[in-house]
Amino acid sequence: MGEIEDGEADHITTDVQGQKCALVCECTAPESVSGKDNLPFLNAVLKNPVCKLYRFPTSDNKWMRIREQMSESILSFHIPKELISLHIKEDLCRNQELKELGELSPHWDNLRKNVLTHCDQMVNMYQGILKELSKETGSSFKSSSSKGERTLEFVPVNLHLQRMHVHSPHLKDALYDVITVGAPAAHFQGFKNGGLRKLLHRFETERRNTEYQFIYYSPENTAKAKEVLSNINQLQPLIATYADLLLNSASQHSPDSLKNSLKMLSEKTELFVHAFKDQLVRSALLALYTARPGGILKKPPSPKNSTEESSPQDPPPPMKRQDSIPHHSDYDEEEWDRVWANVGKSLNCIIAMVDKLIERDGGSGGSSSSKNEEKDPSLVDSVITHPREDWYEQLYPLILTLKDCMGEVVNRAKQSLTFVLLQELAYSLPQCLMLTLRRDIVFSQALAGLVCGFIIKLHASLHDPGFLQQLHTVGLVVQYEGLLSTYSDEIGMLEDMAVGISDLKKVTFKITEAKSNDVLPVITGRREHYVVEVKLPARMFESLPLQIKEGQLLHVYPVLFNVGINEQQTLAERFGDVSLQESINQENFELLKEYYTIFMEKMPPDYISHFQEQNDLKGLLENLHQNIQAKKRKNVEIMWLAATICRKLNGIRFTCCKSAKDRTSMSVTLEQCSILRDEHQLHKDFFIRALDCMRRQTQGALNESDDPETGCLTDNKPTSRHFYPVALLLVSSHLLVVWLILSLALLLAKYQ
């Protein structure tokens, strides 16, 4: 869709029922974009708009005006650069934690050195890619011809906004947005061995069944270890800050300030303690003990999930290790419980002291009834206060004890969980890191499109109270329409795309007030969880609900429905396998149905009653399910139903094919004309003509004499216009043969 040129103005005249009716297509300069689109917020995201104006008759012989706009987005390069910077920071931090793991036995120490060597190479490669991306100053999108370039791997292909603004004589103006982008895929890496969906499954199966010398942790446990490490890194400095605030309040002798500081300290410390309740930390400590010089158990520790104590289906493989095997009694498993519990006890001592100080000062009593009920009563008796001493002097030793206990917990937990991450990297080092690279590439492309779509949707619906309530109450559904075939390399592309879109569930959004003219989004987080900060100008930010202004995280629910429509899909359906497409559609239907259930449960009853009157979503979902189950060849009804449901749910629409050009443009223009017909009463005799008019503009403007439907065919008409439209070839492979024969016959006739 993105690679078109702005041609000359088109004026097409047709004679319908004896009357001259004009279909007007006029090119407009970017300056003529409406005032709404000229807001600095939107202009900071969209660039180089190409605009067309159309006028089509309605069923009652009036005129509707359509303004079609296609824009590039600078987020195509901005988001990948933000993401790569985060990857570099995360990997450098992980490498440092591996170095600080302490003394290990020769076996594990050699593995660690090998891992660090490969990880350093990966960081250097990411830094090189970031440096090359920073040099890009030309176009704000990546063309399809560049999709195989290594330095542009992280950049999405042909990311554009396709917007249709309809001004109807009877209905209020309406706006329809579709984000068009090439399927997120690692084109430079190639698809010889398949895409991410197949590669990840194969890698995990081999890890589970291998007898290599490492401890197997499931992907869930590995993700949990990363989550706990991230929580540690966030909470430890926060607790230290709130502890200092408590001491500052004590030095000022302010009871109210003291209680507020204690409340914040208590909340963060409880989160800190809760982070270590998972059984994974205990098993990781035991595993690390066995990896120290001279330490080994008869059986490797079996990591357990937080939701279940054991997993009998996936027992860890046996480890081949040293001969000296001490007994379990060599390791004191209760020591970790004592160290971990000391943090909570230290906090309870601080709470008891604060209560005593405020009580002696004639304050309101305890800091909170819940805390008084939870803490040990003996702690209150053990705290001896001295009225003549300063509050600061009495709290300082307790704060110091809390920090020391917390430091001991952090040190042990960090080392043990870093050892868990070492297991993931220790097995099949090159393959593991290459899978990480491939997943980062695909996710970067998918995230750039998502952030662009979210910002556009937010801007278009900023004054819709129902949408804003839905945004912070439920979240937004993000529907991807895939047009990839299940044949040859496009199978790998579809496998990449399915994983990349599924990974978008790890993304949340937060809307903040812009403090300067820089309104570009900022990304924070790690590979398992990202937060995208969207900045709004002050005037727009003030119109948001309180929950959003207070920083509530906003969730998205990505779903993908794919229907191959080209001639390669015909071959796949007749001689190949379409099970990948069927399974993806079925899995994502369940996700869409789940979102609909949450939507109906969480939205207010008055909104739901009004919503149900306007939309028959339940019927549409049932129809979609039936079409998915039908397994009909090239069932485009799936795409239309999914798109309709997405629009009715205020979702974000994406259309993707290999390069976001031919198939994408055919689909988007068909969808636009279908909307004009179904929602805005486009005259039935003008559906095909409106479709042809829009599609001509996607391929460059044509002169009036080039349109065979006007009846004005000239002798100097280009020979290429004799050929049948390429779109007809999507119907059946038999037409390809017919097309070749007729084309050859026409060429022979011309030159005889």
Side-chain angles (χ1 to χ4, degrees):
M1 283 292 290
E3 298 176 13
I4 71 170
E5 295 180 358
D6 195 3
E8 298 295 326
D10 250 359
H11 297 274
I12 306 170
T13 305
T14 56
D15 186 70
V16 180
Q17 297 178 351
Q19 295 182 351
K20 295 282 185 178
C21 298
L23 302 180
V24 182
C25 301
E26 296 181 350
C27 302
T28 58
E31 292 79 26
S32 67
V33 178
S34 66
K36 177 187 282 190
D37 291 348
N38 268 332
L39 289 173
F41 168 65
L42 204 58
N43 282 345
V45 176
L46 300 179
K47 296 292 181 183
N48 304 327
V50 177
C51 308
K52 304 289 180 181
L53 294 179
Y54 306 94
R55 190 173 64 158
F56 300 134
T58 61
S59 57
D60 57 355
N61 294 322
K62 296 185 182 292
W63 292 96
M64 71 171 78
R65 296 197 303 273
I66 295 94
R67 178 175 170 272
E68 190 181 31
Q69 173 185 327
M70 184 182 64
S71 303
E72 304 169 12
S73 175
I74 61 173
L75 298 181
S76 294
F77 286 85
H78 174 74
I79 296 299
K81 288 189 286 188
E82 286 270 312
L83 208 53
I84 294 173
S85 298
L86 279 181
H87 293 333
I88 294 172
K89 181 179 178 181
E90 179 182 350
D91 291 348
L92 286 174
C93 181
R94 179 199 57 201
N95 292 355
Q96 185 62 32
E97 289 170 348
L98 285 173
K99 294 175 183 177
E100 296 173 354
L101 198 52
E103 188 178 3
L104 298 175
S105 63
H107 167 74
W108 290 110
D109 192 50
N110 290 333
L111 279 178
R112 174 172 58 178
K113 291 177 181 177
N114 195 22
V115 166
L116 284 172
T117 299
H118 283 82
C119 289
D120 287 339
Q121 293 174 356
M122 182 70 73
V123 170
N124 291 335
M125 184 180 67
Y126 276 57
Q127 289 173 336
I129 293 174
L130 181 61
K131 184 178 179 180
E132 291 299 320
L133 283 180
S134 301
K135 297 178 182 178
E136 294 288 337
T137 57
S139 175
S140 54
F141 75 98
K142 183 175 82 172
S143 65
S144 60
S145 60
S146 303
K147 62 176 174 284
E149 291 187 17
R150 179 166 189 168
T151 57
L152 300 178
E153 281 183 295
F154 287 80
V155 181
V157 177
N158 266 339
L159 175 61
H160 286 80
L161 164 67
Q162 182 74 20
R163 166 169 287 183
M164 182 175 70
H165 187 189
V166 182
H167 177 73
S168 181
H170 301 298
L171 304 173
K172 67 177 183 179
D173 290 6
L175 208 61
Y176 301 94
D177 290 336
V178 178
I179 306 297
T180 61
V181 63
H187 293 279
F188 179 81
Q189 307 293 324
F191 308 98
K192 181 179 180 181
N193 298 315
L196 275 172
R197 188 179 171 106
K198 179 187 292 183
L199 293 172
L200 289 171
H201 176 74
R202 183 188 304 160
F203 176 75
E204 194 55 41
T205 302
E206 291 175 355
R207 277 190 68 215
R208 186 182 296 111
N209 298 329
T210 187
E211 292 187 1
Y212 189 69
Q213 299 181 18
F214 79 106
I215 304 170
Y216 173 75
Y217 288 92
S218 67
E220 293 77 16
N221 279 320
T222 304
K224 183 67 178 179
K226 294 177 181 177
E227 180 184 352
V228 175
L229 280 172
S230 177
N231 290 337
I232 292 173
N233 293 330
Q234 291 177 6
L235 290 173
Q236 186 183 17
L238 282 176
I239 293 173
T241 301
Y242 289 136
D244 293 338
L245 286 175
L246 183 68
L247 289 176
N248 186 50
S249 300
S251 64
Q252 296 175 0
H253 212 280
S254 171
D256 292 337
S257 177
L258 195 66
K259 287 191 288 185
N260 291 334
S261 300
L262 179 62
K263 180 181 178 182
M264 292 186 291
L265 177 63
S266 301
E267 290 175 353
K268 297 303 178 184
T269 306
E270 286 178 0
L271 290 174
F272 178 84
V273 173
H274 181 74
F276 300 106
K277 285 186 178 180
D278 197 279
Q279 180 66 24
L280 175 64
V281 180
R282 187 187 300 274
S283 64
L285 282 165
L286 184 56
L288 179 59
Y289 173 79
T290 68
R292 299 297 187 194
I296 183 63
L297 298 178
K298 292 181 180 180
K299 283 171 106 179
S302 175
K304 300 176 183 178
N305 292 323
S306 57
T307 56
E308 54 185 4
E309 289 299 316
S310 63
S311 179
Q313 293 94 349
D314 300 324
M319 290 183 61
K320 303 175 182 178
R321 294 293 299 276
Q322 302 170 355
D323 295 330
S324 58
I325 303 177
H327 300 289
H328 284 275
S329 58
D330 291 351
Y331 175 71
D332 186 1
E333 296 186 16
E334 295 181 358
E335 183 183 5
W336 166 248
D337 292 332
R338 291 193 295 269
V339 173
W340 173 56
N342 283 340
V343 177
K345 291 180 179 179
S346 300
L347 176 64
N348 288 338
C349 287
I350 294 172
I351 294 173
M353 175 63 77
V354 170
D355 287 345
K356 284 281 188 179
L357 293 174
I358 294 177
E359 184 179 357
R360 285 182 176 274
D361 196 61
S364 58
S367 59
S368 65
S369 58
S370 61
K371 296 290 185 296
N372 289 331
E373 293 172 2
E374 292 177 3
K375 69 188 178 199
D376 188 350
S378 63
L379 291 173
V380 181
D381 298 333
S382 65
V383 176
I384 302 175
T385 59
H386 304 279
R388 295 181 181 179
E389 292 181 357
D390 185 66
W391 285 8
Y392 180 92
E393 295 176 357
Q394 297 190 46
L395 282 174
Y396 180 75
L398 301 179
I399 294 294
L400 196 61
T401 301
L402 174 65
K403 289 183 177 180
D404 290 342
C405 293
M406 187 173 62
E408 179 68 17
V409 170
V410 167
N411 182 54
R412 295 191 181 205
K414 266 192 173 183
Q415 288 188 346
S416 63
L417 294 175
T418 301
F419 186 71
V420 173
L421 302 185
L422 178 62
Q423 312 307 310
E424 181 187 37
L425 296 168
Y427 169 72
S428 186
L429 255 179
Q431 184 183 3
C432 178
L433 292 180
M434 290 307 294
L435 278 177
T436 300
L437 171 63
R438 189 183 191 104
R439 198 165 189 171
D440 287 346
I441 289 169
V442 175
F443 179 76
S444 173
Q445 297 178 24
L447 182 62
L450 174 64
V451 176
C452 178
F454 183 89
I455 291 176
I456 298 302
K457 184 67 179 178
L458 177 64
H459 178 266
S461 307
L462 201 57
H463 301 291
D464 182 356
F467 168 82
L468 295 175
Q469 186 174 21
Q470 175 185 348
L471 181 61
H472 70 79
T473 305
V474 185
L476 292 183
V477 65
V478 184
Q479 186 253 327
Y480 288 80
E481 175 185 299
L483 304 172
L484 293 172
S485 67
T486 53
Y487 185 82
S488 189
D489 283 353
E490 291 197 11
I491 298 179
M493 296 178 201
L494 182 56
E495 290 174 341
D496 275 357
M497 183 181 181
V499 174
I501 291 173
S502 177
D503 283 346
L504 293 177
K505 290 183 288 189
K506 302 182 294 188
V507 179
T508 55
F509 289 83
K510 182 171 70 172
I511 301 177
T512 60
E513 182 179 353
K515 303 301 181 182
S516 65
N517 292 330
D518 181 13
V519 293
L520 289 176
V522 176
I523 306 176
T524 57
R526 52 187 172 79
R527 281 185 175 90
E528 301 302 321
H529 177 65
Y530 293 100
V531 178
V532 181
E533 179 185 336
V534 178
K535 303 175 186 177
L536 286 182
R539 181 178 58 82
M540 302 172 70
F541 183 77
E542 288 302 319
S543 64
L544 296 175
L546 181 62
Q547 295 90 334
I548 298 179
K549 290 195 288 187
E550 289 180 346
Q552 179 178 328
L553 295 180
L554 311 174
H555 297 272
V556 291
Y557 296 80
V559 292
L560 165 65
F561 294 95
N562 187 85
V563 177
I565 61 172
N566 63 355
E567 63 275 9
Q568 287 188 332
Q569 185 63 22
T570 302
L571 295 174
E573 289 173 342
R574 292 188 176 181
F575 309 111
D577 182 15
V578 295
S579 59
L580 173 63
Q581 175 176 285
E582 292 172 354
S583 61
I584 288 175
N585 290 343
Q586 182 60 45
E587 292 167 9
N588 284 272
F589 172 77
E590 297 300 330
L591 295 175
L592 182 60
K593 187 178 178 181
E594 179 183 342
Y595 174 83
Y596 172 73
T597 303
I598 298 173
F599 178 88
M600 300 302 289
E601 289 176 354
K602 291 190 175 183
M603 291 300 287
D606 54 341
Y607 182 84
I608 289 296
S609 60
H610 173 74
F611 185 83
Q612 288 177 324
E613 291 175 3
Q614 303 295 324
N615 305 284
D616 182 23
L617 277 176
K618 188 175 181 180
L620 289 171
L621 281 168
E622 292 175 354
N623 196 0
L624 176 60
H625 185 242
Q626 291 172 2
N627 277 275
I628 291 174
Q629 294 293 321
K631 298 182 180 180
K632 178 183 174 183
R633 291 182 178 179
K634 295 186 179 180
N635 191 357
V636 293
E637 190 74 16
I638 293 175
M639 299 188 299
W640 294 334
L641 286 169
T644 302
I645 293 171
C646 175
R647 284 195 300 270
K648 291 183 180 295
L649 283 172
N650 293 321
I652 306 172
R653 282 270 297 117
F654 284 81
T655 299
C656 311
C657 67
K658 181 178 179 179
S659 302
K661 293 195 299 183
D662 298 337
R663 279 171 279 180
T664 298
S665 62
M666 299 290 283
S667 175
V668 170
T669 50
L670 179 60
E671 179 182 354
Q672 290 180 166
C673 288
S674 298
I675 291 172
L676 295 178
R677 178 193 61 195
D678 299 336
E679 305 291 339
H680 298 278
Q681 303 174 5
L682 174 67
H683 196 290
K684 61 180 182 179
D685 294 335
F686 276 78
F687 179 84
I688 297 298
R689 297 174 186 181
L691 186 61
D692 289 342
C693 185
M694 288 185 175
R695 286 180 174 174
R696 261 200 316 278
Q697 301 310 311
T698 65
Q699 300 170 358
L702 300 173
N703 295 325
E704 180 183 357
S705 60
D706 292 334
D707 187 358
E709 292 189 355
T710 62
C712 304
L713 303 180
T714 58
D715 292 335
N716 60 352
K717 183 176 178 182
T719 306
S720 61
R721 294 297 295 169
H722 286 288
F723 294 103
Y724 293 89
V726 178
L728 291 177
L729 301 181
L730 304 180
V731 180
S732 170
S733 59
H734 294 298
L735 289 179
L736 178 61
V737 179
V738 176
W739 177 73
L740 290 172
I741 294 173
L742 291 176
S743 300
L744 181 60
L746 289 170
L747 284 173
L748 291 174
K750 177 178 177 63
Y751 292 104
Q752 281 181 352

